Structure formats: C-alpha cells, structure tokens
Amino acid sequence: MRSASSLLLLGSCLLALAPAGQGAPAQCPGQCHCHGDLQHVICDSVGLKKIPRVSEATKLLNMQRNPLGSLSTGSFGESRGLVSLHLQHCQIRQVAAQAFKGLKKLVYLYLSNNDITSIEPGAFEDLSELTYLYLDGNQIADLPKGVFAPMINLFILQLNDNRLRDLQPGTFAGAKDLRWLHMSGNQLSVMQPGSLDDVENLAILHLDRNKLSLYPSAAMSKLRVVEELTLGNNPMRSIPDNAFQSFGRYMEKLHLDNMGLEKFSDGAFTGVTAVKSLHLDGNKLRSLPRSLDFRTITNLTLTSNPWACTCTLAPLRRWMDSSRIRPDALCASPPLHRGKQVRDSSAFSGCKVKPKKAKKGPLKRH
C-alpha cells in the first residue's frame, strides 16, 4: 500500500518531468512567483479574489490562502495543462457546475479547509484523470448523486471533517477504482443499503467520529478487499454476525475503540483470517466472541473495558500466555479478581480447552 507522502512525492516528480506546453505567457501573473519556465505558478497568500490567467504551459497552480469565495463555471478555462491545483484555505463556499471544465489533465485537486456547503451537479465534469481529491475540513452536508462520476481514475477521496448526515446509493457512481475513502468526523447516522456498492475495491475506509448507532451491514456487504477499517467513536452498542465476512481475509487493521460497545455476536468475526491490529479500548466489553482468532494478531488494545475473568475469556488468556504481546486488560469481575490484570489472574486455572470436533469423513464399508 502506497503512503500519502510517497504519493505526493511521486506527484512532484511527475510535475517536474512534465514537458512544457506551447504558448507559455511572457511573464508571471502579477503578485505570483513562477518557476520552471512558468510551469509552476505560486500565488500563496497574496490577497487574490479571482483566479489569475495562466496558459497551458502551467502544470501547477498554488492559490492557497486567497479569499476567492466561490468557484464559478469555467474558472480555469485557459489553464488546460494543469496537473496539480491547490485551493486550500480560500474561503470557498460554493463549487458551481463545470467549475473545472477543460482540466482534462488534472491529477491532484486540493479543496481542503474551505467553507464549502454546496457542490453543484456536474461540478467535476472533465476531471477524468483526477486521482487525488481533498475535500476535508469543509461544511458539506449532502453530495449530489453521481457527483464523482467523471472521476474514473479516482484513487484517494478525503471527505473527513464535514457535515455529511447520510450516504445514498449512487453517491460514488463511476469512481470504481477508488481505494482510500476517508469520512471520519462527519455526522453520519445512516448509510443506505447500496451506498458503497460502486466502490467495492476500497482498501481503506475511515468512518470513525460519526453518529452510527448500528453497524452498516447492508451498505458494506459488497466490499471485497478492505484492509483497514476504522469505526471508533461511533455510538454503536453491538457488532452483528458476519459483520466483516465479505472482506475478512484481507482486513489487517480494525479500530473499534471508544464506542460504548457492549458485545459482539458470536459470529461477528466469521471469515476474518488476517487481522493484525485490533483496537477495542474504551468500551463496555465483558467478553470476546468465539469467532475471534487471535493467531494473526500482533497489536491488540483492551484497556478501559469491564472484563469478566471467567472461562469465556480463557482463549484470550491462552493467547497472552503463548505470545510476547500481553496487553493491559483489567478484570472487573468476579469480585475476587477485580483490578487484576487478565494476563496475571488465576481465574482461568480451571478452564478446560474444548477439543476441536473431528471432521466427519465417508463411512468405510467392511
């Protein structure tokens, strides 16, 4: 899995190697700084209220920290060579239909930390090469159906720290190659069945810091290859059977911390065979389900749970005894063992290991 920093470095290299276009402007736009025969135009924090004119020779336009207010239709009509566009901290409230029309070479679009409340249908028309889209830190409450449809190459989508309330089917239509979807820190209380069907190849899905009270089984049933899932800080009391089954053989990182989680259904971890990092701290758990296989786990957090140190927790203790990883976990019951570490308690000394049932083979005839 490529890291965000390596992707950005790759982008910089691509920009540096990009061939210069024809018809470059004779001089740099006023108040801006230009580099590489005007291929990079830097207009950071210079008080501009409109997008400056740059030619097709320009590959990178940095407009951060300028009070633009909005992006109207055709704002970049003469900037058809852009590969990277930086519009962070520009007080943008609205993105009009066809705002980026003509930017068919754009790969990176940064709209983080604005005041965007409205994205009109067709706003991202022509962005067929866009791979990285950053919309985090805005005020977006609703997304038009199919708004990302032109982005057939979209790889990373940052939507964290907005005001999204629910997800509807068709929201991500067309973005079939999306791999990283960040929706942390929204107000999601509902994810409609089918809302993630168009992005079944997601590898990283962040849903922490939302308002989900029920695990969104129907919305996530088509996901096949999720490697990292974060659900921490959602008011979710239980995890149902087969919650992660469709992608369980790929999932390596699972965050279920600080949720007020009270229980897992016994089959919650059915099909989960690759998990390495599991975070369960800050919940109300007393036991763990029989379907949880500890053998692949290399990082486990269990603190701030009222663990019941009875034989139902014996598989955890046996794993601790056989592993170099012995995480903190305090017994809350029975009274004799209250306050003792699970790894040190004698509460499990009389627990028997249940023999595995032998698989039935064909009957032999004599």
Side-chain angles (χ1 to χ4, degrees):
M1 181 61 63
R2 289 172 282 180
S3 68
S5 58
S6 63
L7 291 169
L8 293 175
L9 179 60
L10 173 61
S12 300
C13 294
L14 290 173
L15 290 172
L17 294 172
Q22 299 298 317
Q27 61 183 10
C28 188
Q31 298 178 279
C32 302
H33 302 281
C34 297
H35 308 280
D37 294 330
L38 306 180
Q39 289 192 57
H40 293 190
V41 177
I42 313 299
C43 310
D44 192 330
S45 306
V46 294
L48 293 176
K49 295 183 178 180
K50 293 183 179 180
I51 305 295
R53 295 178 62 184
V54 297
S55 79
E56 292 187 29
T58 302
K59 305 300 178 185
L60 182 149
L61 175 59
N62 184 346
M63 287 290 300
Q64 293 185 70
R65 289 175 282 272
N66 286 284
L68 298 178
S70 64
L71 294 176
S72 58
T73 299
S75 291
F76 303 91
E78 298 182 16
S79 311
R80 297 177 184 273
L82 284 180
V83 175
S84 186
L85 177 57
H86 298 250
L87 296 166
Q88 305 98 309
H89 300 280
C90 288
Q91 303 172 31
I92 298 168
R93 296 179 297 276
Q94 183 180 28
V95 182
Q98 301 184 338
F100 304 100
K101 186 173 179 59
L103 300 188
K104 296 182 179 181
K105 297 179 181 180
L106 196 66
V107 175
Y108 302 87
L109 176 55
Y110 300 89
L111 288 163
S112 307
N113 300 304
N114 281 290
D115 301 310
I116 298 171
T117 58
S118 173
I119 299 177
E120 294 185 3
F124 299 125
E125 184 178 320
D126 280 353
L127 300 186
S128 57
E129 291 299 317
L130 198 75
T131 309
Y132 311 102
L133 175 57
Y134 298 84
L135 285 164
D136 49 300
N138 281 287
Q139 307 293 321
I140 302 167
D142 298 291
L143 292 167
K145 185 177 180 180
V147 69
F148 304 111
M151 304 178 191
I152 57 175
N153 287 298
L154 193 60
F155 186 88
I156 293 178
L157 175 56
Q158 296 268 164
L159 280 167
N160 45 292
D161 300 301
N162 276 280
R163 294 186 177 181
L164 294 172
R165 297 183 294 264
D166 67 354
L167 284 183
Q168 301 286 340
T171 299
F172 301 108
K176 60 183 180 59
D177 287 334
L178 189 65
R179 296 284 283 167
W180 295 10
L181 177 56
H182 298 260
M183 291 189 290
S184 308
N186 278 278
Q187 298 177 24
L188 287 172
S189 59
V190 177
M191 294 174 64
Q192 300 287 349
S195 57
L196 295 177
D197 284 5
D198 295 304
V199 287
E200 63 178 17
N201 292 316
L202 284 180
I204 293 178
L205 177 57
H206 288 186
L207 292 167
D208 51 296
R209 296 185 291 114
N210 277 286
K211 296 182 178 181
L212 296 167
S213 59
L214 297 174
Y215 182 80
S217 296
M220 297 175 66
S221 62
K222 296 290 181 67
L223 300 180
R224 301 182 299 111
V225 291
V226 175
E227 297 172 15
E228 178 176 321
L229 174 63
T230 67
L231 282 166
N233 288 282
N234 279 282
M236 203 176 295
R237 292 187 176 183
S238 64
I239 303 293
D241 286 331
N242 307 311
F244 319 109
Q245 187 171 25
S246 65
F247 48 85
R249 59 197 178 113
Y250 293 94
M251 187 173 64
E252 296 185 356
K253 297 179 181 179
L254 178 59
H255 293 253
L256 299 171
D257 52 298
N258 300 296
M259 301 170 67
L261 193 61
E262 296 176 1
K263 66 175 183 177
F264 292 93
S265 295
D266 260 346
F269 285 88
T270 298
V272 177
T273 58
V275 66
K276 295 179 180 178
S277 184
L278 177 59
H279 299 273
L280 299 174
D281 44 302
N283 286 299
K284 298 179 181 179
L285 294 168
R286 292 172 52 80
S287 62
L288 293 169
R290 286 179 289 183
S291 55
L292 178 57
D293 189 342
F294 295 94
R295 289 177 295 181
T296 58
I297 294 176
T298 57
N299 183 19
L300 178 63
T301 59
L302 300 166
T303 57
S304 301
N305 282 281
W307 297 110
C309 289
T310 64
C311 290
T312 57
L313 211 59
L316 171 64
R317 172 57 186 272
R318 284 195 291 271
W319 171 77
M320 287 182 175
D321 289 344
S322 63
S323 172
R324 288 184 295 179
I325 304 158
R326 307 188 76 202
D328 288 344
L330 293 179
C331 302
S333 63
L336 183 62
H337 299 277
R338 184 180 296 130
K340 294 182 180 179
Q341 289 282 354
V342 170
R343 62 178 178 251
D344 299 325
S345 173
S346 60
F348 308 99
S349 57
C351 298
K352 296 180 180 179
V353 179
K354 292 184 178 180
K356 292 183 179 180
K357 293 181 179 180
K359 294 182 180 180
K360 293 183 179 180
L363 293 174
K364 294 182 179 180
R365 294 184 180 182
H366 297 284

